[in-house]
mmCIF file of all heavy atoms in Angstrom:
data_model
loop_
_atom_site.group_PDB
_atom_site.id
_atom_site.type_symbol
_atom_site.label_atom_id
_atom_site.label_comp_id
_atom_site.label_asym_id
_atom_site.label_seq_id
_atom_site.Cartn_x
_atom_site.Cartn_y
_atom_site.Cartn_z
ATOM 1 N N LEU A 33 -17.825 17.975 17.184
ATOM 2 C CA LEU A 33 -18.520 17.150 18.183
ATOM 3 C C LEU A 33 -19.682 16.354 17.600
ATOM 4 O O LEU A 33 -19.935 15.228 18.046
ATOM 5 C CB LEU A 33 -18.988 18.010 19.347
ATOM 6 C CG LEU A 33 -17.860 18.681 20.142
ATOM 7 C CD1 LEU A 33 -18.446 19.554 21.240
ATOM 8 C CD2 LEU A 33 -16.885 17.665 20.700
ATOM 9 N N ASP A 34 -20.363 16.893 16.622
ATOM 10 C CA ASP A 34 -21.476 16.154 16.014
ATOM 11 C C ASP A 34 -21.019 14.857 15.335
ATOM 12 O O ASP A 34 -21.839 13.971 15.093
ATOM 13 C CB ASP A 34 -22.238 17.029 15.012
ATOM 14 C CG ASP A 34 -23.111 18.073 15.698
ATOM 15 O OD1 ASP A 34 -23.236 18.047 16.947
ATOM 16 O OD2 ASP A 34 -23.665 18.938 14.984
ATOM 17 N N TRP A 35 -19.735 14.733 15.042
ATOM 18 C CA TRP A 35 -19.182 13.503 14.452
ATOM 19 C C TRP A 35 -18.950 12.422 15.519
ATOM 20 O O TRP A 35 -18.636 11.285 15.198
ATOM 21 C CB TRP A 35 -17.857 13.800 13.756
ATOM 22 C CG TRP A 35 -18.010 14.508 12.459
ATOM 23 C CD1 TRP A 35 -18.186 15.848 12.265
ATOM 24 C CD2 TRP A 35 -18.023 13.910 11.177
ATOM 25 N NE1 TRP A 35 -18.298 16.120 10.922
ATOM 26 C CE2 TRP A 35 -18.199 14.938 10.232
ATOM 27 C CE3 TRP A 35 -17.893 12.596 10.719
ATOM 28 C CZ2 TRP A 35 -18.253 14.692 8.867
ATOM 29 C CZ3 TRP A 35 -17.941 12.373 9.360
ATOM 30 C CH2 TRP A 35 -18.125 13.411 8.443
ATOM 31 N N GLU A 36 -19.088 12.775 16.802
ATOM 32 C CA GLU A 36 -18.855 11.866 17.933
ATOM 33 C C GLU A 36 -17.486 11.183 17.826
ATOM 34 O O GLU A 36 -17.374 9.950 17.838
ATOM 35 C CB GLU A 36 -19.983 10.833 18.034
ATOM 36 C CG GLU A 36 -21.329 11.475 18.273
ATOM 37 C CD GLU A 36 -22.467 10.469 18.362
ATOM 38 O OE1 GLU A 36 -22.230 9.243 18.256
ATOM 39 O OE2 GLU A 36 -23.605 10.918 18.542
ATOM 40 N N PRO A 37 -16.426 11.974 17.759
ATOM 41 C CA PRO A 37 -15.087 11.405 17.574
ATOM 42 C C PRO A 37 -14.546 10.734 18.837
ATOM 43 O O PRO A 37 -14.930 11.085 19.957
ATOM 44 C CB PRO A 37 -14.242 12.626 17.232
ATOM 45 C CG PRO A 37 -14.924 13.747 17.967
ATOM 46 C CD PRO A 37 -16.401 13.429 17.863
ATOM 47 N N ASP A 38 -13.666 9.767 18.621
ATOM 48 C CA ASP A 38 -12.926 9.157 19.725
ATOM 49 C C ASP A 38 -11.739 10.028 20.116
ATOM 50 O O ASP A 38 -11.348 10.075 21.272
ATOM 51 C CB ASP A 38 -12.401 7.769 19.327
ATOM 52 C CG ASP A 38 -13.528 6.784 19.083
ATOM 53 O OD1 ASP A 38 -14.544 6.833 19.798
ATOM 54 O OD2 ASP A 38 -13.389 5.949 18.167
ATOM 55 N N VAL A 39 -11.148 10.682 19.126
ATOM 56 C CA VAL A 39 -9.996 11.561 19.334
ATOM 57 C C VAL A 39 -10.201 12.823 18.503
ATOM 58 O O VAL A 39 -10.645 12.758 17.358
ATOM 59 C CB VAL A 39 -8.673 10.875 18.915
ATOM 60 C CG1 VAL A 39 -7.495 11.828 19.063
ATOM 61 C CG2 VAL A 39 -8.431 9.606 19.715
ATOM 62 N N VAL A 40 -9.861 13.955 19.092
ATOM 63 C CA VAL A 40 -9.914 15.236 18.404
ATOM 64 C C VAL A 40 -8.505 15.812 18.381
ATOM 65 O O VAL A 40 -7.837 15.860 19.414
ATOM 66 C CB VAL A 40 -10.858 16.220 19.144
ATOM 67 C CG1 VAL A 40 -10.788 17.613 18.537
ATOM 68 C CG2 VAL A 40 -12.281 15.704 19.140
ATOM 69 N N ILE A 41 -8.066 16.221 17.201
ATOM 70 C CA ILE A 41 -6.802 16.948 17.070
ATOM 71 C C ILE A 41 -7.161 18.412 16.863
ATOM 72 O O ILE A 41 -7.873 18.747 15.917
ATOM 73 C CB ILE A 41 -5.976 16.445 15.870
ATOM 74 C CG1 ILE A 41 -5.656 14.961 16.016
ATOM 75 C CG2 ILE A 41 -4.690 17.272 15.734
ATOM 76 C CD1 ILE A 41 -5.034 14.346 14.760
ATOM 77 N N ILE A 42 -6.679 19.263 17.750
ATOM 78 C CA ILE A 42 -6.916 20.698 17.625
ATOM 79 C C ILE A 42 -5.602 21.329 17.172
ATOM 80 O O ILE A 42 -4.608 21.270 17.883
ATOM 81 C CB ILE A 42 -7.401 21.319 18.948
ATOM 82 C CG1 ILE A 42 -8.695 20.646 19.406
ATOM 83 C CG2 ILE A 42 -7.589 22.832 18.791
ATOM 84 C CD1 ILE A 42 -9.157 21.059 20.793
ATOM 85 N N GLU A 43 -5.645 21.909 15.995
ATOM 86 C CA GLU A 43 -4.451 22.489 15.382
ATOM 87 C C GLU A 43 -4.790 23.912 14.939
ATOM 88 O O GLU A 43 -4.943 24.202 13.762
ATOM 89 C CB GLU A 43 -4.036 21.622 14.185
ATOM 90 C CG GLU A 43 -2.725 21.983 13.573
ATOM 91 C CD GLU A 43 -2.373 21.060 12.418
ATOM 92 O OE1 GLU A 43 -2.706 19.863 12.436
ATOM 93 O OE2 GLU A 43 -1.762 21.574 11.472
ATOM 94 N N LEU A 44 -4.940 24.790 15.908
ATOM 95 C CA LEU A 44 -5.298 26.185 15.666
ATOM 96 C C LEU A 44 -4.373 27.092 16.468
ATOM 97 O O LEU A 44 -3.819 26.673 17.478
ATOM 98 C CB LEU A 44 -6.751 26.445 16.077
ATOM 99 C CG LEU A 44 -7.835 25.795 15.239
ATOM 100 C CD1 LEU A 44 -9.170 25.800 15.975
ATOM 101 C CD2 LEU A 44 -7.965 26.498 13.897
#
Side-chain angles (χ1 to χ4, degrees):
L33 297 178
D34 286 353
W35 285 82
E36 299 179 1
D38 294 323
V39 177
V40 173
I41 301 171
I42 301 172
E43 188 179 326
L44 291 164

